[in-house]
Amino acid sequence: MSKILKIRARQVFDSRGNPTIETEIYSKNLSASAICPSGASTGTYEAFEKRDTKNKKYLGKSVLNAVNLVNTKISKKLKGKNIHDQTRIDTILINLDGTRQKKNLGANAILSVSMAAKKLSAKIKGVPLYKTFLIKNNYKLPYPLMNIINGGAHANNGLRIQEFMIRPDKAKSFSEAMHICFVVISNLRNLIISRGLSTSVGDEGGFAPMISSNEKALDLVVAAIKRSGFKNGKDVSICLDVAANELIKMKKYSIHSNKFISVDQSIKKYKKMIKKYKIKSIEDPFGENDWIAWNKLIKQTNSVQIIGDDLYVTNLERLKKGFLNNSSNSILIKLNQIGTVSETLEVIKFAKIIGYNTIISHRSGDSEDTFIADLAVGTNSNQIKSGSLARSERVAKYNQLLRIEEELGKKARMNKVN
Ligand code: PEP
Ligand code: MG
C-alpha cells in the first residue's frame, strides 16, 4: 500500500483563458497532477462546476473556493488513504460532497483529485496510465473525430451546428488517421483562403469562417475531402455535433436555419442532410429532455451513429433511461460531467454491456492534461473527440495517442468505427 501524504490544489488557466483547478497528490517519493476541463454548451444535468460567482476579481470565474476545499476538507479526509484504491477514494469524495450533482465541493474540485489519484497510482506502479483502466490486453486505438469547422457556442460566426467533424475511417493505424486528417485540414485551409474567408480558429481549433449556413460548411468539408483524394463516406466520414440544447424554443428547433420548426420537420431535414453529405454520426440531434424526438430519429436513420452528450451527461441513470427508450446507439464520455473516474468507468462498462459505442471527449475549455487519451485506449473506446489539429491543448491528446501506439508496437490495433 502507498499512502497519500499530501494534496495541494491551485488555480491555473484553461484554453479559453478561464481559471480552472489543478490538483497535485504526493506519496512518499512521487507526485502526479491533473487539471479539470470546462464546457461551454453544458447540459442541465451535468455535475456542478464550482466558481466564485460573487468574487469580481476574476469576473465571477475564479475557482479559489474549490481550491480551498481540496486543500482543507478533501485533503484531511484522504491523507493516509491507499492511493491504489480508486473506488474508496472516489467513494469518500462522493460521500463528503453528499449531493446528487456534487454541489457542495464542486465536480471540478472532486475530479481534479480523482484524476490525480489515478495518475499517481499508475506512476507508483510504474505502468502507463492506459493500462490501469478496464482493459488488460488487446488495446485498441480510437478513431479521432476531428472538429474541423467550429460553430455554435464555440465560435461567433453564426453557424448553427456546433461541430463539423471528420473521421478517417480508412485509417489502419492511428498515425495513418493523423495523416489523413492533416491532409484534409490543410486542403480545407487552402479552400477557405481561396474563398476570401478567415482561417482563424474557434475554441476547439477548427476553422471558424464567417459562414452561417450548415450547407456551406458541409460543402467546404466535402470539397476538402475530395481535393485530398479521399472518398467522402468511405475513406473519410463527416460527423456532426449539433448541440441542439442550444437551439430549442417551445419544443421547436432552429437547427437547419434560424427558423424554428417541429421535431418531424427537423427529422426530414436531417434525413436529407445525411443522404446528401453521407453523414455517419450525429451527436445531440435533439434536446436533453426530448426523449421522444431521439427515438423517432433513431428509428428512421438506421446505420447512423447517434450519440448522446447533453442527453446522458455521463450519468448511469440517464444512460439506462436512454437505453429503455431506444434514444441512441452511442454515448459521449466526459469525466467532468459526472465528477469521478470510478463513476465514469461504471458508465463506460454499462455502455459496453448494452452495445453502445463509447466516444471519449475533451471539453471546449481544456488544458495540456492528456488523461482522456489514456482513458480512450484503456477502455477500448471506439472514438475520441479532441478538436482539430490546432491549439496545443487539442493536439496534446492526439500526440499522446501516437506515443501509446508506438509503445504498443506490433500489438497496436485500431478500434471498429460504427
Ligand atoms: C461538446 O458539446 O461535445 C463539447 C465538447 O463542448 P462543451 O465542452 O462546450 O460542452
Ligand atoms: Mg456535444
Side-chain angles (χ1 to χ4, degrees):
M1 159 168 160
S2 284
K3 286 184 182 173
I4 294 176
L5 286 192
K6 190 171 98 174
I7 299 182
R8 179 108 340 255
R10 59 183 71 93
Q11 177 169 287
V12 294
F13 291 83
D14 72 15
S15 56
R16 270 193 281 254
N18 288 328
T20 187
I21 181 168
E22 176 178 58
T23 291
E24 192 147 7
I25 305 188
Y26 298 79
S27 67
K28 199 170 164 201
N29 301 313
L30 293 166
S31 72
S33 63
I35 302 178
C36 187
S38 173
S41 61
T42 49
T44 315
Y45 304 99
E46 287 194 23
F48 179 68
E49 181 179 72
K50 201 175 195 66
R51 292 197 182 270
D52 312 324
T53 47
K54 291 196 182 113
N55 182 342
K56 293 298 162 227
K57 191 170 170 193
Y58 286 94
L59 312 177
K61 288 188 170 164
S62 57
V63 292
L64 299 169
N65 272 322
V67 165
N68 185 47
L69 283 165
V70 174
N71 289 338
T72 54
K73 267 190 166 178
I74 292 180
S75 170
K76 204 168 144 198
K77 274 273 178 202
L78 289 182
K79 255 196 247 171
K81 298 288 182 295
N82 181 2
I83 189 69
H84 302 304
D85 194 347
Q86 187 75 33
T87 313
R88 174 120 195 266
I89 291 170
D90 288 342
T91 307
I92 290 172
L93 289 167
I94 292 163
N95 292 340
L96 186 63
D97 176 83
T99 66
R100 273 175 85 87
Q101 282 181 293
K102 303 189 173 63
K103 287 205 163 155
N104 281 332
L105 300 171
N108 44 347
I110 292 173
L111 182 66
S112 66
V113 175
S114 182
M115 290 198 300
K118 187 75 180 154
K119 285 185 182 178
L120 180 56
S121 167
K123 212 168 173 182
I124 293 170
K125 287 180 184 159
V127 292
L129 183 59
Y130 70 88
K131 290 194 174 167
T132 66
F133 294 102
L134 301 178
I135 306 296
K136 300 286 166 251
N137 249 316
N138 300 322
Y139 295 101
K140 306 249 170 62
L141 275 296
Y143 277 84
L145 278 169
M146 285 210 189
N147 179 6
I148 62 173
I149 295 186
N150 289 191
H154 298 165
N156 61 355
N157 52 6
L159 264 178
R160 312 203 71 67
I161 290 179
Q162 180 180 280
E163 300 173 22
F164 296 82
M165 296 174 280
I166 48 166
R167 193 183 59 196
D169 294 356
K170 177 182 189 278
K172 296 274 183 294
S173 66
F174 193 77
S175 16
E176 190 189 349
M178 294 298 286
H179 174 246
I180 293 170
C181 291
F182 165 80
V183 174
V184 176
I185 291 167
S186 302
N187 277 308
L188 179 60
R189 181 183 294 107
N190 291 337
L191 277 167
I192 291 174
I193 292 170
S194 72
R195 306 220 171 148
L197 295 164
S198 162
T199 54
S200 61
V201 298
D203 287 354
E204 298 188 346
F207 298 114
M210 279 295 171
I211 43 174
S212 55
S213 106
N214 299 331
E215 280 72 23
K216 278 193 184 141
L218 286 163
D219 287 337
L220 271 171
V221 178
V222 170
I225 294 171
K226 215 170 168 188
R227 201 185 253 207
S228 306
F230 299 122
K231 251 199 148 117
N232 177 27
K234 196 159 178 271
D235 303 330
V236 176
S237 292
I238 300 177
C239 305
L240 304 173
D241 179 4
V242 178
N245 255 1
E246 311 284 315
L247 305 167
I248 319 176
K249 208 167 36 184
M250 317 265 282
K251 295 213 164 198
K252 290 191 168 182
Y253 290 86
S254 63
I255 298 158
H256 299 93
S257 71
N258 51 15
K259 200 174 145 213
F260 285 84
I261 57 174
S262 71
V263 165
D264 289 332
Q265 286 169 315
S266 301
I267 290 178
K268 246 191 202 163
K269 292 201 181 273
Y270 269 134
K271 283 167 74 179
K272 260 194 181 161
M273 198 187 241
I274 290 167
K275 198 164 170 213
K276 182 168 177 198
Y277 296 101
K278 302 185 171 62
I279 287 159
K280 291 288 168 65
S281 174
I282 306 180
E283 180 183 328
D284 282 354
F286 290 109
E288 64 193 3
N289 294 315
D290 217 345
W291 300 94
I292 292 167
W294 283 75
N295 177 253
K296 273 188 176 173
L297 179 71
I298 202 162
K299 284 201 297 215
Q300 296 181 54
T301 51
N302 274 340
S303 55
V304 180
Q305 175 174 261
I306 304 289
I307 311 173
D309 170 15
D310 292 338
L311 183 72
Y312 297 136
V313 291
T314 317
N315 179 308
L316 192 54
E317 293 317 308
R318 289 190 67 86
L319 177 58
K320 284 179 180 168
K321 184 167 175 181
F323 175 57
L324 293 176
N325 183 61
N326 185 24
S327 302
S328 76
N329 49 35
S330 306
I331 178 172
L332 202 78
I333 301 290
K334 291 168 169 168
L335 288 141
N336 76 325
Q337 282 181 328
I338 190 68
T340 63
V341 174
S342 302
E343 288 165 291
T344 305
L345 293 176
E346 284 307 311
V347 171
I348 297 174
K349 260 195 236 166
F350 185 77
K352 285 180 176 294
I353 291 169
I354 59 176
Y356 277 32
N357 283 351
T358 53
I359 296 99
I360 307 294
S361 175
H362 62 163
R363 297 306 306 242
S364 50
D366 216 290
S367 75
E368 64 269 32
D369 197 303
T370 58
F371 192 96
I372 60 164
D374 286 74
L375 179 67
V377 179
T379 54
N380 272 358
S381 283
N382 307 74
Q383 289 142 66
I384 185 167
K385 241 180 55 154
S386 180
S388 191
L389 269 187
R391 303 182 59 133
S392 284
E393 79 280 2
R394 311 294 148 191
V395 180
K397 280 71 163 172
Y398 297 132
N399 286 345
Q400 174 66 358
L401 286 161
L402 287 170
R403 286 181 208 109
I404 295 174
E405 180 173 66
E406 186 183 298
E407 194 198 291
L408 287 170
K410 281 194 180 129
K411 288 187 186 154
R413 297 275 177 281
M414 289 301 280
N415 214 312
K416 61 178 189 334
V417 237
N418 266 6

